[in-house]
């Protein structure tokens, strides 16, 4: 989760050289280099493509900028018909093409045993950025549309289901070994809305991917949204559940998923070696040895993290293996 990024000095150097964050994403050589940086440094078992979830709204025609040191800023929401046309005409895939080039290049440069994970944002999470115009705390405009103009909102969500599925299938064809779908803001929803706007679109995306990719592992991350997680249990034999750090990894491990993934609080990495090792062991102890568990953070790493703290996590895991 945010393997690359601002906690690494080699990332900060390259970002400055590239000009900005989106310039890194749009150039397969840069995106490949940033993806490989943490793999060289740490030798993780898995690698995640360097890109961003907001490349889909941009490819659908919505303006996107990342101001230095700030969050994303999106332009006005384009007309649904215009976005649908961009999806169906192949224009969206054309804008996203650098990501597919990066996937192929990364796959050819990664060690064979290292898994390459492609990804996309989930429809609900993408809709919050597209409707609010950026990051948000309360999602008022998004909820106003979801609950007050459900037909309009459903049409936007259907477009996003199709867009996300197309983007993930393209990454798989380019060489991604697995794909992850981030529903980072699913926890803002009540029970019924988690089922309607997190679980249902995630299930629809899995079904679409399965039409052409029957076995590719898919990792779902309905963050802070256990109603959605429970509703997704058992939908497919190759779906894994990523668990956030505020949730119960042990309980999640009893659900019908291929594996559970998670869930160390990235804030734990801001302490000393003994504390980091202890927190890591505490996560490992939540899951029985015979249950498939992919160790991961429970959300994105802080930019203030000492790069050595990641070594302390890995040492604690590897000394138990
Ligand atoms: O190694 C990696 O970093 C993996 C690539 C990656 C991924 C999987 C990035 C690069 N972003 C993401 C996913 C992502 N992007 C999510 C889902 C995961 C999560 O919840 O963290 C979200 C919500 C975003 C949106 C986003 N991208 C924001 C806004 C966050 C918010 O609180 O609203 C921001 C600031 C970004 C920029 C971004 N994307 C990635 C990085 C490394 C950065 C920071 C860029 C920089 O400043 O240099």
């Amino acid at each position: 989760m945010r393997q690359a990024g601002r906690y690494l000095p080699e990332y900060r150097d390259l970002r400055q050289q590239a000009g900005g964050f989106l310039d890194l994403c749009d150039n397969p050589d840069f995106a490949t280099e940033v993806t490989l940086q943490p793999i060289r440094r740490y030798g993780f078992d898995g690698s995640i493509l360097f890109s961003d979830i907001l490349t889909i709204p941009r490819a659908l025609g919505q303006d996107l900028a990342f101001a230095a040191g700030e969050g994303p800023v999106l332009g006005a929401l384009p007309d649904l018909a215009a976005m649908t046309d961009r999806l169906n005409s192949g224009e969206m895939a054309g804008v996203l093409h650098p990501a597919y080039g990066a996937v192929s290049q990364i796959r050819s440069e990664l060690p064979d045993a290292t898994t390459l994970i492609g990804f996309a944002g989930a429809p609900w999470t993408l809709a919050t950025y597209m409707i609010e115009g950026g990051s948000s705390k309360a999602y008022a405009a998004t909820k106003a549309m979801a609950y007050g103009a459900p037909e309009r909102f459903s049409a936007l969500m259907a477009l996003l289901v199709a867009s996300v599925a197309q983007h993930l299938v393209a990454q798989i064809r380019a060489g991604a070994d697995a794909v992850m779908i981030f529903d980072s803001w699913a926890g803002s929803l009540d029970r019924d809305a988690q089922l309607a706007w997190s679980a249902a679109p995630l299930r629809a995306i899995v079904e679409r991917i399965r039409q052409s990719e029957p076995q590719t592992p898919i990792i779902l991350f309905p963050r802070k949204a256990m109603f959605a997680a429970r509703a997704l249990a058992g939908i497919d034999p190759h779906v894994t559940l990523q668990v956030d750090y505020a949730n119960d990894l042990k309980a999640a491990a009893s659900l019908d998923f291929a594996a559970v993934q998670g869930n160390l609080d990235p804030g734990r990495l801001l302490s000393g070696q003994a504390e980091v090792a202890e927190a890591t062991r505490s996560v490992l102890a939540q899951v029985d040895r015979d249950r498939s568990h992919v160790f991961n953070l429970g959300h994105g790493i802080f930019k203030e993290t000492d790069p050595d703290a990641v070594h302390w996590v890995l040492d604690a895991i590897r000394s138990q293996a």
Side-chain angles (χ1 to χ4, degrees):
M1 191 104 39
R2 298 272 168 93
Q3 275 182 352
R6 287 177 293 175
Y7 74 108
L8 292 177
E10 58 269 36
Y11 170 78
R12 293 193 297 264
D13 287 349
L14 199 69
R15 186 188 197 276
Q16 211 174 7
Q17 212 181 302
F21 172 71
L22 287 173
D23 300 298
L24 287 175
C25 298
D26 285 341
N27 179 319
D29 292 328
F30 282 144
T32 298
E33 175 57 23
V34 177
T35 304
L36 294 174
Q37 282 173 346
I39 305 306
R40 287 192 203 109
R41 197 186 254 264
Y42 301 111
F44 296 121
D45 297 333
S47 172
I48 187 156
L49 168 69
F50 188 84
S51 181
D52 197 78
I53 64 166
L54 299 175
T55 57
I56 284 185
R58 186 173 65 146
L60 287 171
Q62 190 167 19
D63 287 338
L64 170 67
F66 282 92
E70 283 167 45
V73 181
L74 289 89
L77 184 65
D79 189 63
L80 187 70
M83 292 194 285
T84 306
D85 190 51
R86 288 180 72 102
L87 168 68
N88 294 332
S89 67
E91 215 173 327
M92 181 190 93
V95 177
L96 292 168
H97 200 261
Y100 312 139
V103 167
S104 303
Q105 203 172 325
I106 295 160
R107 186 56 277 171
S108 74
E109 294 186 30
L110 269 181
D112 286 350
T114 307
T115 302
L116 176 57
I117 305 169
F119 73 93
W124 168 257
T125 292
L126 292 178
T128 68
Y129 287 99
M130 294 173 80
I131 295 168
E132 308 290 334
S135 303
S136 171
K137 286 211 167 76
Y139 315 99
T142 316
K143 289 186 176 182
M145 193 194 292
Y147 306 141
E151 282 183 17
R152 186 161 175 239
F153 189 71
S154 297
L156 174 63
M157 293 293 273
L159 168 76
L160 291 172
V161 164
S163 303
V164 168
Q166 188 190 92
H167 186 41
L168 293 174
V169 168
Q171 292 177 63
I172 294 166
R173 292 196 176 143
D177 304 298
V179 290
M180 179 155 172
I181 311 175
F182 291 86
D183 211 352
S184 300
W185 314 128
S188 65
L189 297 169
D190 65 25
R191 178 186 172 281
D192 288 352
Q194 283 186 32
L195 301 179
W197 301 129
S198 179
L202 287 170
R203 177 195 286 259
I205 293 166
V206 170
E207 284 168 1
R208 277 179 182 248
I209 295 172
R210 287 295 176 248
Q211 288 171 11
S212 62
E213 317 297 330
Q215 301 217 327
T216 306
I218 301 174
I219 307 156
L220 301 178
F221 184 26
R223 180 169 168 259
K224 295 193 179 176
M226 276 312 278
F227 291 112
R230 278 193 220 105
L232 291 161
I235 61 166
D236 178 279
H238 305 289
V239 166
T240 284
L241 180 69
Q242 160 74 35
V243 181
D244 62 87
Y245 59 83
N247 249 312
D248 187 346
L249 186 63
K250 191 180 190 136
S254 71
L255 298 174
D256 183 8
F257 288 98
V260 278
Q261 183 173 297
N263 74 341
L264 181 65
D265 176 359
R268 294 275 177 186
L269 272 64
L270 304 175
S271 58
Q273 180 161 14
E275 291 83 358
V276 169
E278 184 50 38
T280 302
R281 284 193 292 268
S282 166
V283 169
L284 291 171
Q286 297 299 306
V287 188
D288 289 343
R289 276 287 171 125
D290 56 3
R291 179 77 175 103
S292 297
H293 175 206
V294 178
F295 190 96
N296 195 11
L297 298 180
H299 202 201
I301 195 163
F302 291 36
K303 69 176 190 311
E304 294 83 359
T305 308
D306 176 348
D308 280 342
V310 177
H311 281 299
W312 303 335
V313 172
L314 292 172
D315 290 347
I317 297 169
R318 289 171 181 158
S319 68
Q320 292 218 342

